[in-house]
Amino acid sequence: MNDTRDGVSAYDPAAVESKWQRLWEERGTNRVDLRAAERPYYNLMMFPYPSAEGLHVGNVFAFVGSDIHGRFRRLQGFDVFEPLGFDAFGIHSENYALKINQHPARLIPANIDNFRKQLKRVGLMVDWSHELQTIDPRYYKWTQWVFLQLYKAGLAVRRKAPVNWCPECKTVLANEQVIDGNCERHPGTRVVQRYLEQWFFTITKYAQRLLDNLSWIDWSESTRLLQINWIGRSEGAELVFRTSSGEEIRVYTTRPDTVFGATYLVLAPEHPLVDRLTAPAQRSAVDQYRDRVSRMDLVSRRVGSKEKTGVFTGAYAANPATGEEVPIWIADYVLMEYGSGAIMGVPAHDERDFEFARKFGLEIRRVVVPASGGEGELPFTDWDGVLVNSGAFDGMPCREAARAITQWLSERGLGSFQVQYRLHDWCISRQRYWGPPIPIIYCDHCGTVPVPEQDLPVELPYIEDFRPDESGISPLARHEEWYRVPCPQCGQLARRETDVSDTFLDSAWYFLRYPSTEFDDRPFDPELTRKWLPVDTYIGGNEHATLHLMYSRFITMALHDLGYLPFEEPYKRFRAHGTIVKDGAKMSKSRGNVVVPDEYIAKWGADTFRMYLMFLGPYQEGGDFRDEGIAGIRRFLDKVWVLVKNARRDEGEIDRAAMRKLHQTIRKVTGDLEELRYNTAIAALMEYVNTLRETGVTAASMVEPLIVMLSPFAPHFAEECWEILGHDRSVFEASWPKWDEKLAEEEQIELVIQVNGKVRSRMQVARGITEEQAVQRALQDEAVQRFVKGRKVRKAIFVEDRLVNLVT
């Protein structure tokens, strides 16, 4: 270009970026020799779902933040492996294919090609030779292998269970996909409950271990808390209420201290005892109620409606503490999946029980009063209380009573200490087409038979009629030519499982595959796995905290226990990135505020776009994208460009202030990059550039460290600058600069401290200290404190680098 700035040719991002992307590819700059690497560092970002809309700004924000970390580690001397692939199976892809009347087997590969092209424009340090796609039979062969290992270990089981069913999606939904009773993908569609035969992974067997490890793994605190709450460990007791016919109803409670106040029981409408316990006079009402509840989704039942509903069964059971007969009801807010599917109603000390009892006129009996005295307003739910109306336990504090009553009931065979978890087993069955077939065969003679490993993969057949229907049966079940196969054990005609597996199974182990994509005879090579895993740093969104991250931890633990992995946690360090909004609002097409990366990269260049996203705010929080802000980053790069063009080797004496600023900047940027504080690191680089410009320093030795520190943020730009400075190798083969603590120290001056005009102290401070800092330091001085004690400082008189006078 002929354009010039400050007498030098202007920076042309389009030319620079196309040049370096070509050279990186030709030179294999981003490829890693996995076996020869001496300092392996596995840097991973969550792989994307390749939507038809293409790369969105949230993807770029996440990927660039991870990429900066990887490039920083490479400059520190690590052999960084940064792979990327595509999470391409699943309901999102299939629904979009249905919407535009295309087959996913044709649509999704095209989406992947577009996504890859966009990702390369961003300038990521990705080793594309290890790309994987979950829709590739070479990949999902091993997803099916993982299923078989869990099946053999008894961790994959098939059972009938209530599930959320979306009439629009025509498949099962996870609880997290139900919002206020509606499907997250179809906000106007009410989700209903169905009973279907499903495959489950028994993740609940690992609940305590998953919880225990959260105490030591290096994860973002927000993510750890989400997982702790999702696992939901609670300590309590299982109590036994017996009916006159001898049936035992087992109830889990976290408040056994309140059992003397249990005046009724509530069973889940699906509880197996309901049919046997219901009195003839109540049969019709109970059946009608159960039918109505069966059409509700599980999430709405968990949350509970404001309007309490329920039906009396006509049966009674004995309170294990009092021996009194209490009525047995059924209600929608009790579910079979938590505890035993039965609760004891203690209306005086539980909000929900109180509302239920008031609506249906059930007895409310106080058995706890505040420890501070008085009776307290009902319902009184605090633990800080003492027992009343509780026989021999009257006057005992609640926590002590909970243990004592459980022990007392245990000795009578009516109770036991117990731990419960909110975590449920993972349902992996999906009644859709676009996913890996579950590798199971059903034989009338041999029963459930796993597909032999040598017969994997069970390939997903290409069928034109892949649209799901209301039957609750997978589209594959309409193709007898596919599902009719010989039984692997007896050879007689049998039937394949026609459900496909949940897309979260695809992503639960993908990080294990990246180093071993070249192998078709093993899912992950033992030697490479030992060398490169667990993942050193994993970056992703907190929206995956309770699904993907939990499931990948479980799969890793299971494979570890089965002898396949030498570690039980998949990621040494996990950091959750923040979210980008536009002009203060969440991005959406309806608001017209969606940031399309391609448009901004075309106008400003990838490096400017990368840096602007990182400058918006703390990476782990996110920021507000405003169009007017990006120009400031471009002006900064233009300033650096001029510095590089004017850099000289005949350096002479270096300005002391500039040298001090250089070492302070290296210290600051290094610390910030370690903690992913990218916005403040960029601010420090900007300050350093201003110092170089103000002092007129043009020495190459002062500019080169700047380019190395800038390179993780603006890799194409840095490569070009590095070449201009006379280097013939990549800037990423340079070493991260080191700072000298002595050279980074601020020049010290003596600051006089006065109180009401009289000198009371002197202190050594950094030259250029601000008024706010000076006042703060002065008030911390013991001598000064004696003269201002008990008095308010009305104002401060500050003379820079000389004195501060506190006026009281």
Side-chain angles (χ1 to χ4, degrees):
M1 292 179 65
N2 296 321
D3 185 22
T4 61
R5 295 177 191 270
D6 293 352
V8 301
S9 58
Y11 160 52
D12 179 0
V16 167
E17 289 167 10
S18 62
K19 168 187 171 180
W20 285 102
Q21 287 172 19
R22 174 179 56 80
L23 290 175
W24 288 338
E25 183 66 31
E26 290 174 2
R27 297 173 180 176
T29 304
N30 299 332
R31 293 195 195 110
V32 185
D33 186 334
L34 297 180
R35 293 202 183 273
E38 294 180 1
R39 296 186 69 195
Y41 192 93
Y42 192 168
N43 185 53
L44 188 62
M45 59 198 86
M46 288 185 179
F47 65 167
Y49 148 66
S51 67
E53 291 84 2
L55 195 66
H56 61 77
V57 70
N59 295 135
V60 179
F61 177 74
F63 297 156
V64 167
S66 178
D67 187 61
I68 290 169
H69 178 73
R71 291 182 181 277
F72 172 56
R73 286 287 185 250
R74 178 169 175 172
L75 288 161
Q76 289 181 313
F78 290 95
D79 298 298
V80 178
F81 179 46
E82 189 174 292
L84 194 58
F86 298 96
D87 189 12
F89 265 139
I91 198 168
H92 290 88
S93 302
E94 189 174 341
N95 280 350
Y96 187 76
L98 287 166
K99 181 180 178 181
I100 65 172
N101 199 30
Q102 281 201 41
H103 198 284
R106 292 190 295 270
L107 175 68
I108 303 307
N111 288 354
I112 289 173
D113 289 342
N114 181 50
F115 236 77
R116 188 189 303 107
K117 189 185 307 177
Q118 290 179 300
L119 286 164
K120 287 185 175 182
R121 287 194 70 188
V122 176
L124 304 177
M125 193 177 68
V126 170
D127 184 346
W128 288 105
S129 66
H130 286 270
E131 175 190 326
L132 61 79
Q133 301 175 16
T134 58
I135 59 174
D136 184 348
R138 293 181 65 243
Y139 179 82
Y140 70 74
K141 164 185 179 177
W142 300 112
T143 302
Q144 293 169 340
W145 177 88
V146 170
F147 174 93
L148 292 178
Q149 307 320 302
L150 269 63
Y151 175 79
K152 293 172 189 173
L155 296 172
V157 297
R158 190 171 186 250
R159 61 173 181 257
K160 199 166 191 177
V163 292
N164 299 310
W165 178 268
C166 173
E168 189 71 24
C169 294
K170 296 180 176 63
T171 194
V172 169
L173 301 182
N175 295 326
E176 297 73 27
Q177 296 168 308
V178 181
I179 311 297
D180 297 327
N182 295 330
C183 172
E184 69 167 356
R185 288 182 287 269
H186 305 98
T189 302
R190 296 294 297 178
V191 173
V192 298
Q193 182 178 279
R194 282 193 176 185
Y195 275 82
L196 297 175
E197 289 281 354
Q198 306 279 294
W199 280 98
F200 290 86
F201 285 165
T202 54
I203 189 174
T204 49
K205 292 181 179 179
Y206 284 76
Q208 189 59 49
R209 196 157 141 206
L210 288 164
L211 185 63
D212 289 343
N213 284 11
L214 289 170
S215 67
W216 60 263
I217 58 177
D218 183 8
W219 281 29
S220 293
E221 185 62 17
S222 58
T223 315
R224 288 180 61 257
L225 289 174
L226 285 167
Q227 289 218 348
I228 288 169
N229 293 334
W230 192 253
I231 294 169
R233 186 183 196 271
S234 65
E235 296 181 4
E238 184 180 77
L239 308 182
V240 179
F241 288 69
R242 289 201 178 112
T243 69
S244 57
S245 61
E247 301 282 4
E248 290 190 347
I249 300 174
R250 296 183 176 273
V251 169
Y252 174 74
T253 177
T254 58
R255 295 294 304 268
D257 56 308
T258 65
V259 65
F260 283 86
T263 58
Y264 63 93
L265 290 179
V266 184
L267 306 186
E270 306 86 3
H271 198 290
L273 288 178
V274 172
D275 282 330
R276 297 207 294 274
L277 293 176
T278 301
Q282 292 296 109
R283 177 69 61 189
S284 176
V286 167
D287 288 348
Q288 288 178 31
Y289 185 78
R290 293 173 84 185
D291 180 63
R292 181 159 67 85
V293 171
S294 71
R295 291 192 290 274
M296 295 175 65
D297 68 275
L298 294 172
V299 173
S300 296
R301 288 181 59 188
R302 280 195 194 92
V303 173
S305 62
K306 292 181 180 177
E307 182 65 25
K308 292 290 175 283
T309 66
V311 173
F312 178 42
T313 64
Y316 294 83
N319 180 315
T322 66
E324 297 172 356
E325 295 283 302
V326 298
I328 304 170
W329 287 64
I330 61 170
D332 57 13
Y333 68 85
V334 181
L335 291 95
M336 281 303 301
E337 61 184 29
Y338 184 76
S340 59
I343 67 156
M344 64 180 194
V346 186
H349 306 293
D350 181 272
E351 193 82 43
R352 187 178 54 186
D353 295 350
F354 183 76
E355 293 172 6
F356 191 87
R358 287 222 303 186
K359 174 165 183 179
F360 294 107
L362 299 167
E363 182 186 356
I364 299 174
R365 182 184 299 175
R366 181 194 298 274
V367 293
V368 178
V369 294
S372 57
E375 291 197 334
E377 186 179 345
L378 293 182
F380 180 72
T381 60
D382 289 358
W383 274 99
D384 187 18
V386 295
L387 269 59
V388 296
N389 301 320
S390 299
F393 303 97
D394 281 357
M396 192 176 286
C398 288
R399 294 190 187 280
E400 182 182 340
R403 292 188 295 272
I405 288 174
T406 303
Q407 182 61 40
W408 173 61
L409 292 175
S410 175
E411 292 165 0
R412 299 167 60 202
L414 294 172
S416 60
F417 292 97
Q418 197 168 93
V419 172
Q420 290 276 5
Y421 300 91
R422 181 175 178 265
L423 182 69
H424 305 301
D425 283 338
W426 171 15
C427 175
I428 66 150
S429 294
R430 295 295 181 269
Q431 297 72 39
R432 295 293 291 246
Y433 166 69
W434 193 237
I438 294 175
I440 289 290
I441 293 171
Y442 302 109
C443 175
D444 291 339
H445 302 278
C446 305
T448 301
V449 181
V451 172
E453 290 181 21
Q454 64 268 23
D455 292 344
L456 297 180
V458 178
E459 290 204 33
L460 181 67
Y462 184 94
I463 61 173
E464 287 291 352
D465 59 331
F466 65 92
R467 184 178 294 273
D469 60 30
E470 280 292 340
S471 68
I473 299 172
S474 165
L476 292 175
R478 299 195 289 263
H479 287 265
E480 190 169 357
E481 77 284 359
W482 178 79
Y483 70 72
R484 287 293 179 197
V485 292
C487 169
Q489 291 184 359
C490 71
Q492 297 201 37
L493 202 58
R495 185 179 185 277
R496 287 192 188 281
E497 169 63 73
T498 53
D499 282 356
V500 297
S501 58
D502 179 13
T503 186
F504 282 108
L505 179 54
D506 302 335
S507 59
W509 76 280
Y510 79 110
F511 53 93
L512 297 171
R513 182 64 178 165
Y514 275 132
S516 301
T517 50
E518 66 196 86
F519 301 107
D520 289 329
D521 62 344
R522 69 204 82 162
F524 34 85
D525 179 72
E527 181 184 340
L528 288 172
T529 300
R530 276 192 301 274
K531 183 168 186 172
W532 285 94
L533 283 122
V535 172
D536 288 283
T537 293
Y538 193 34
I539 289 177
N542 255 343
E543 67 271 20
H544 299 293
T546 56
L547 292 174
H548 162 62
L549 287 171
M550 188 77 78
Y551 295 154
S552 60
R553 292 183 63 213
F554 161 66
I555 291 295
T556 303
M557 283 185 182
L559 292 175
H560 166 74
D561 291 352
L562 296 174
Y564 292 109
L565 297 175
F567 51 88
E568 68 173 32
E569 285 291 343
Y571 321 113
K572 292 179 185 175
R573 181 168 88 145
F574 172 77
R575 292 293 181 268
H577 61 70
T579 304
I580 298 296
V581 297
K582 177 76 159 67
D583 299 323
K586 185 177 180 180
M587 290 184 215
S588 70
K589 290 180 182 176
S590 60
R591 288 194 181 99
N593 67 344
V594 174
V595 174
V596 180
D598 289 4
E599 297 171 6
Y600 286 85
I601 290 172
K603 180 177 180 180
W604 297 99
D607 286 337
T608 300
F609 190 58
R610 284 171 62 114
M611 286 195 70
Y612 180 56
L613 288 177
M614 295 302 103
F615 196 53
L616 290 175
Y619 181 63
Q620 296 184 68
E621 295 176 21
D624 188 357
F625 192 105
R626 296 180 183 272
D627 287 347
E628 61 269 21
I630 196 168
I633 295 292
R634 175 57 194 271
R635 287 194 296 271
F636 166 70
L637 291 178
D638 285 337
K639 291 175 185 176
V640 177
W641 184 260
V642 172
L643 285 173
V644 169
K645 287 284 190 173
N646 292 330
R648 297 289 178 267
R649 291 290 173 190
D650 50 339
E651 300 179 349
E653 188 174 349
I654 305 295
D655 181 89
R656 287 177 63 190
M659 182 63 74
R660 181 165 56 249
K661 193 65 174 176
L662 169 63
H663 286 268
Q664 290 174 344
T665 303
I666 296 170
R667 180 176 62 190
K668 170 68 173 167
V669 173
T670 303
D672 283 350
L673 262 62
E674 287 286 355
E675 299 301 325
L676 313 186
R677 294 191 296 262
Y678 300 142
N679 58 325
T680 54
I682 293 170
L685 293 173
M686 289 176 169
E687 286 184 21
Y688 178 59
V689 167
N690 289 339
T691 298
L692 291 181
R693 286 162 58 87
E694 290 163 4
T695 57
V697 171
T698 59
S701 64
M702 299 292 282
V703 176
E704 286 180 339
L706 167 67
I707 300 307
V708 175
M709 289 187 284
L710 185 59
S711 65
F713 300 96
H716 315 85
F717 178 85
E719 290 277 33
E720 187 70 10
C721 290
W722 198 243
E723 185 178 79
I724 292 168
L725 288 167
H727 299 277
D728 57 5
R729 299 174 73 89
S730 169
V731 67
F732 296 103
E733 294 182 39
S735 295
W736 187 258
K738 293 180 170 57
W739 74 91
D740 184 319
E741 202 62 58
K742 289 183 178 179
L743 292 177
E745 286 179 0
E746 290 284 0
E747 184 181 347
Q748 298 286 300
I749 55 99
E750 184 178 75
L751 188 72
V752 175
I753 312 298
Q754 297 179 342
V755 178
N756 295 326
K758 294 184 179 180
V759 176
R760 299 302 185 187
S761 186
R762 300 171 191 272
M763 59 177 61
Q764 294 294 310
V765 299
R767 181 179 293 280
I769 188 172
T770 66
E771 179 178 348
E772 183 182 356
Q773 292 168 333
V775 171
Q776 187 178 11
R777 287 283 304 275
L779 289 172
Q780 292 171 349
D781 186 272
E782 289 184 9
V784 173
Q785 286 174 353
R786 287 199 299 271
F787 292 95
V788 298
K789 187 176 182 181
R791 287 182 286 178
K792 183 178 180 182
V793 176
R794 291 186 292 110
K795 69 174 182 176
I797 300 169
F798 178 66
V799 180
E800 186 176 355
D801 291 340
R802 290 185 60 193
L803 68 83
V804 62
N805 180 19
L806 305 177
V807 181
T808 62

